[in-house]
């Protein structure tokens, strides 16, 4: 049933997102969800996580005894019959009587007496305190893989969101350029009409035509670049290259009040890089403990072997004689051993050298952890400064856009009345476009810095505030 509902949900999602047969409408949440479902890298990470999980769940299998069952048909190169015969004749029994006696026991001269049947069942169980460390190491490896898995998912989400907003910014930039192009066209059309009516000189008409023709290739180039970047975006999402994508939404940041010291105190320990390094340090400590136990504590080995040997004359009929104690012999045994490799304790042995390497690696990793924590402080402060600066710039840009729009409207009205030169109108239009682009850029900078800060602290600040 779950698969049915999942399939139904996918159909509904497709019907909503693929509004037209040749266009895909994506909100930022749609883009993230699509990438999470179709990313090949994340699918590979899922497999890695499953491998580590299976290893951790079954790490106790080091305590499972080794059981081996064997069966052997053996042919002796030397004829054993003379040995049987001499065992009787040496007691003074005539050879003819001895042969009759052996025949009565099923022992006769011929090929079959060369063969015998040997079975074997052996059970071995080994125990070392180092096994406990091995189990702990498997658990730690799984915990580390879970952190890496989460980190890869969050990195994917962060990259997709930044690409989405980056494309949105370029898309808005292209709209402004197209609006500028349309304004240039309208001015050219108006100048043509005014020239025909004798209201403006030919030089003014030529200026509007040149301005329009110079603006058109710039807009076409910006559109071509944007389409190429949309192809890259589709590829990263897992869609076919060339899929037409329409972005749904806007670049409107959610403002949060942040303080570097407060953020580090509340969320500093949630950083995934720090968690992964702490887990790696834990794994190395487990490895050191395991090596020390393996070097300085003896291992216990318990072995039980049952090895039945069929002594009847026809080795190929051993099944019919199962239960006959006079035709079966057992050479198996139970052994309990303590093994202690004293060479491993020598300072120059490979095991002791490996132990020293582990301890030095531990020191390096602890230094790396301190570096990560200091880098986190620096990056959090940098992101907070960027947020505060971008927020202040956005407020300034809002006023700039209002003033630039008002100035442009006044210049446009004057231009239509013939009291303002085209160059003045172009300057006003350029100022308005710069103000709009600056406002969008600062909004993007704020959103990008907030996403970086959330990634560093592994927290959604817009929901926790």
């Amino acid at each position: 049933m779950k698969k049915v509902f999942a399939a139904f949900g996918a159909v509904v999602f497709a019907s909503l997102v693929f509004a037209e047969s040749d266009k895909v409408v994506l909100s930022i949440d749609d883009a993230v969800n699509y990438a999470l479902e179709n990313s090949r890298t994340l699918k590979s990470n899922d497999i890695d996580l499953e491998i580590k999980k299976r290893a951790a769940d079954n790490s106790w299998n080091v305590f499972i005894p080794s059981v081996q069952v064997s069966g052997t048909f053996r042919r002796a190169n030397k004829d054993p019959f003379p040995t049987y015969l001499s065992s009787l004749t040496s007691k003074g029994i005539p050879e003819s009587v001895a042969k009759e006696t052996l025949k009565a026991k099923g022992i006769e001269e011929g090929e079959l007496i060369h063969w015998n049947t040997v079975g074997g069942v052996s059970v071995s169980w080994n125990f070392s305190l180092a096994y406990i460390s091995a189990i702990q190491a498997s658990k730690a490896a799984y915990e580390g893989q879970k952190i890496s898995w989460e980190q890869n998912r969050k990195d994917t989400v962060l990259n997709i969101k930044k690409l989405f907003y980056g494309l949105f910014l370029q898309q808005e930039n292209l709209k402004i350029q197209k609006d500028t192009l349309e304004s240039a066209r309208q001015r050219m059309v108006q100048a043509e009409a005014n020239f025909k009516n004798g209201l403006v000189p030919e030089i003014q008409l030529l200026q509007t035509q040149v301005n329009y023709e110079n603006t058109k290739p710039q807009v076409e180039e910006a559109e071509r670049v944007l389409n190429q970047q949309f192809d890259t975006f589709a590829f990263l999402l897992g869609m076919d290259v060339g899929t037409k994508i329409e972005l749904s939404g806007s670049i409107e940041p959610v403002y949060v009040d942040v303080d570097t010291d407060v953020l580090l105190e509340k969320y500093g320990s949630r950083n995934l890089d720090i968690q992964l390094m702490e887990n790696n340090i834990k794994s190395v400590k487990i490895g050191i403990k395991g090596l020390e136990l393996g070097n300085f504590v003896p291992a216990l080995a318990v072995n039980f072997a049952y090895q039945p040997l069929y002594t009847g004359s026809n080795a190929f009929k051993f099944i019919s004689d199962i239960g006959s104690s006079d035709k079966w012999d057992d050479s198996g045994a139970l052994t309990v051993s303590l093994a202690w490799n004293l060479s491993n304790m020598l300072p120059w042995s490979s095991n002791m050298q490996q132990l020293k390497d582990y301890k030095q690696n531990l020191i390096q990793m602890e230094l790396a952890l301190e570096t990560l924590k200091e880098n986190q402080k620096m990056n959090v402060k940098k992101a907070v400064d960027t947020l505060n600066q971008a927020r202040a710039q956005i407020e300034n840009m809002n006023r700039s856009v209002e003033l630039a729009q008002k100035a442009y409207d006044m210049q446009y009205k004057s231009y239509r009345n013939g009291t303002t030169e085209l160059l003045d109108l172009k300057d006003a239009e350029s100022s308005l476009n710069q103000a709009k682009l600056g406002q969008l850029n600062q909004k993007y900078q704020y959103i990008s810095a907030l996403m970086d800060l959330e990634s560093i602290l592994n927290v959604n600040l817009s929901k926790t505030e």
Side-chain angles (χ1 to χ4, degrees), residues 188-244:
M188 183 181 67
V189 172
Q190 183 182 359
E192 289 174 349
N194 290 339
F195 175 74
K196 288 179 182 179
N197 294 326
L199 299 177
V200 296
E202 185 178 5
I203 186 61
Q204 189 168 339
L205 171 61
L206 292 175
Q207 286 176 340
T208 58
Q209 290 174 337
V210 169
N211 180 52
Y212 174 72
E213 293 299 331
N214 286 340
T215 305
K216 186 164 60 174
Q218 297 174 5
V219 175
E220 291 174 349
E221 174 65 14
E223 188 169 18
R224 183 187 67 81
V225 172
L226 181 60
N227 288 334
Q228 290 178 343
Q229 292 180 343
F230 266 113
D231 287 340
T232 302
F233 187 56
F235 172 76
L236 294 175
L237 290 177
M239 296 180 177
D240 293 334
V241 175
T243 302
K244 295 181 179 179

Side-chain angles (χ1 to χ4, degrees), residues 74 76 78-91 93-95 97-103 105-110 112-117 309-314 326-327 329:
R74 178 177 177 275
K78 183 179 180 181
D79 187 357
F81 186 78
T83 302
Y84 288 114
L85 186 62
S86 63
S87 64
L88 296 179
T89 55
S90 62
K91 298 177 182 180
I93 301 176
E95 182 176 333
V97 176
K99 288 183 177 181
E100 290 297 328
T101 303
L102 291 174
K103 183 177 181 180
K105 295 181 179 181
I107 301 175
E108 298 183 75
E109 290 184 280
L112 289 178
I113 199 172
H114 287 262
W115 291 85
N116 57 21
T117 302
L309 171 65
Y310 180 65
T311 58
S313 62
N314 191 339
D326 60 333
K327 293 186 178 181
D329 189 18

Side-chain angles (χ1 to χ4, degrees), residues 234-421:
F235 172 76
L236 294 175
L237 290 177
M239 296 180 177
D240 293 334
V241 175
T243 302
K244 295 181 179 179
I245 298 175
E246 180 180 330
L247 303 181
S248 172
S250 61
I251 302 180
E252 290 299 330
V254 177
Y255 297 111
V256 295
D257 296 322
V258 290
D259 179 84
T260 301
D261 294 332
V262 174
L263 290 174
L264 288 171
E265 182 180 356
K266 292 178 64 175
Y267 309 115
S269 61
R270 298 183 60 170
N271 179 272
L272 292 176
D273 288 328
I274 291 177
Q275 290 184 25
L276 185 59
M277 182 59 69
E278 289 175 341
N279 185 80
N280 291 339
I281 290 174
K282 178 182 176 182
S283 298
V284 172
K285 288 181 178 179
I286 291 173
I288 290 174
K289 183 179 178 181
L291 277 174
E292 289 176 339
L293 290 173
N295 288 345
F296 301 113
V297 179
L300 173 67
V302 180
N303 182 74
F304 172 75
Y306 171 61
Q307 193 172 34
L309 171 65
Y310 180 65
T311 58
S313 62
N314 191 339
F316 301 99
K317 294 183 179 181
F318 68 93
I319 295 179
S320 61
D321 287 333
I322 291 178
S324 177
S325 59
D326 60 333
K327 293 186 178 181
W328 285 93
D329 189 18
D330 177 21
S331 59
L334 170 66
T335 59
V336 178
S337 304
L338 277 177
W340 196 353
N341 191 334
L342 299 179
S343 299
N344 288 339
M345 293 187 293
L346 297 175
W348 52 84
S349 68
S350 60
N351 280 35
M352 291 300 292
Q353 293 303 313
Q354 186 178 11
L355 183 60
K356 292 177 182 178
D357 290 344
Y358 269 45
K359 290 181 177 180
Q360 289 184 318
N361 288 337
L362 178 60
I363 295 173
Q364 288 181 323
M365 296 175 75
E366 288 173 342
L367 291 173
L369 178 61
E370 293 300 319
T371 301
L372 282 176
K373 290 181 178 180
E374 290 301 316
N375 283 338
Q376 183 194 41
K377 293 178 183 179
M378 180 177 63
N379 291 331
V380 168
K381 186 179 185 303
K382 179 180 177 181
V384 169
D385 290 343
T386 302
L387 285 175
N388 293 333
Q389 181 183 11
R391 186 169 183 174
Q393 289 293 331
I394 290 170
E395 294 174 357
N396 293 332
M397 287 295 178
N398 290 338
R399 292 189 293 270
S400 297
V401 170
E402 292 176 1
L403 293 174
Q405 184 67 56
K406 184 177 180 180
Y408 174 78
D409 292 341
M410 293 174 64
Q411 289 283 7
Y412 185 70
K413 184 177 180 180
S414 298
Y415 177 77
R416 295 191 64 177
N417 294 333
T419 59
T420 298
E421 297 292 334

